[in-house]
Amino acid sequence: MNKKTKHRIRTTGKTIRLHPRSRKLIAHTVIRALKNININQQNVSANLPQPAKAVEFKKLRVLLVSAMPEEELWQTEQLIADQFRLLTKEVVAIKAFQSFSTALVQLNPDLLLVVGGDTDFSDNDLEVIRRATLQKAIWLTDSSGTSSSTGRLAALFNYVFTQNMYHIPFYQHSGSSSVMYLPFAADRNLFSPKYVDEACRCDVLLLGDALPAGIAYLHELSPLLSGCKVYAAGKGWEEYPGITPVSPGTELQDYYNGAEIIIHWGQPPLRAFQIASCGAVQLVEDHPNLYAFMNPGEDIITFHTGQELSEKLSYYRSHPESARAVATRALWRSTYDYSFMQMAAKLLHTVFNS
């Protein structure tokens, strides 16, 4: 390029020569405009709300206080502690006892997590909980109901996790500002697919008491149950011919694995999780608690009336491939979507990153 063409601009076939001063003015203008754009972008960014920095769970120390109301729930307590140990830096698990608050002062954890319900905490312990400035959460064992003392205890915590979403308004009215439905998951050490003896095998397993809903459902189902091997776990089934009652207090996991189809009503959410973990087909009376973690028609089959139950039982018995697809998805999701690991992670995310 020679000196004559070095500073030429071609537009529509014409050549325009720029004076050196013009070139210098244009350069200064462009540089100033770019600087203004950067300054404006910085001002806009400064005025926008900045996202909170997510808490790393692996840096957290947890004091887990077990206030389980029943002796048989010790396995649940152990499962919960094990999951939090996998998710956090350190977990110190202790039983609730008088003056347990001394451990809270000594350990200075990032989270106080009480698992259980009505326990006779001393007035001093309750006052320590109330005044503590760390994050405080209680995971209640309240599937069977609530009480005024449970409400007063829950009000001391920043976060309340209940086994039944119908209880959420109760805790809110009692003074808890953050209440969430978070049921316990199935114990995969007890509930999993396995081969069972013929004594535990049946065509239909009924879970629930005979009175009053059970009789109405049985009336609708009778034509479909003719000639079937039917077991029932619940009260009042002894007087009904063609139905074999399961002895009260019997562990049911073998019966879940041995049933072609399980029908249940009036049961806690945990029952549905346990059946799903066995890879069994279940028809469940519709309840809002089911929808938070399970998808009706995909990994669980719901019904609202006896007629609807009869229609769905007829369909899935005559379409075993559809029934097996539902049960298989339930088994998969019980491992990856609503296991104790996922429940524990959801609790931590709610407390620290929501």
Side-chain angles (χ1 to χ4, degrees), residues 78 81 134 224 237 281 323:
Q78 186 63 49
L134 78 166
L224 297 175
W237 293 109
V281 183

Side-chain angles (χ1 to χ4, degrees), residues 42 178 205 253 274 290 295 302 330 341:
Q42 291 173 1
S178 182
L205 173 62
Q253 53 265 41
Q274 291 171 341
L290 297 172
N295 297 324
T302 59
M341 173 65 78

Side-chain angles (χ1 to χ4, degrees), residues 101-147:
S101 56
T102 56
L104 178 61
V105 175
Q106 293 170 355
L107 294 170
N108 190 30
D110 300 292
L111 171 65
L112 167 63
L113 175 61
V114 173
V115 180
D118 290 338
T119 296
D120 293 329
F121 290 118
S122 68
D123 291 340
N124 179 69
D125 287 333
L126 296 177
E127 183 63 16
V128 170
I129 293 174
R130 187 183 70 81
R131 291 187 177 184
T133 58
L134 78 166
Q135 293 287 25
K136 299 169 289 187
I138 184 167
W139 198 353
L140 293 160
T141 51
D142 60 349
S143 59
S144 60
T146 61
S147 66

Side-chain angles (χ1 to χ4, degrees), residues 64-69 76-77 79-81 83-84 112-117 136-142 150 153-154 157 159-164 171 180-185 293 339-348:
L64 192 154
V65 181
S66 174
M68 292 291 193
T76 300
E77 167 197 328
L79 277 171
I80 293 173
Q83 305 316 305
F84 278 98
L112 167 63
L113 175 61
V114 173
V115 180
K136 299 169 289 187
I138 184 167
W139 198 353
L140 293 160
T141 51
D142 60 349
T150 304
L153 176 63
F157 293 82
Y159 297 90
V160 177
F161 298 92
T162 175
Q163 301 289 319
N164 192 328
Y171 294 117
M180 179 178 174
Y181 168 59
L182 190 70
F184 289 157
F293 295 96
S339 69
F340 261 116
M341 173 65 78
Q342 278 72 40
M343 299 303 189
K346 191 174 185 68
L347 187 150
L348 287 174

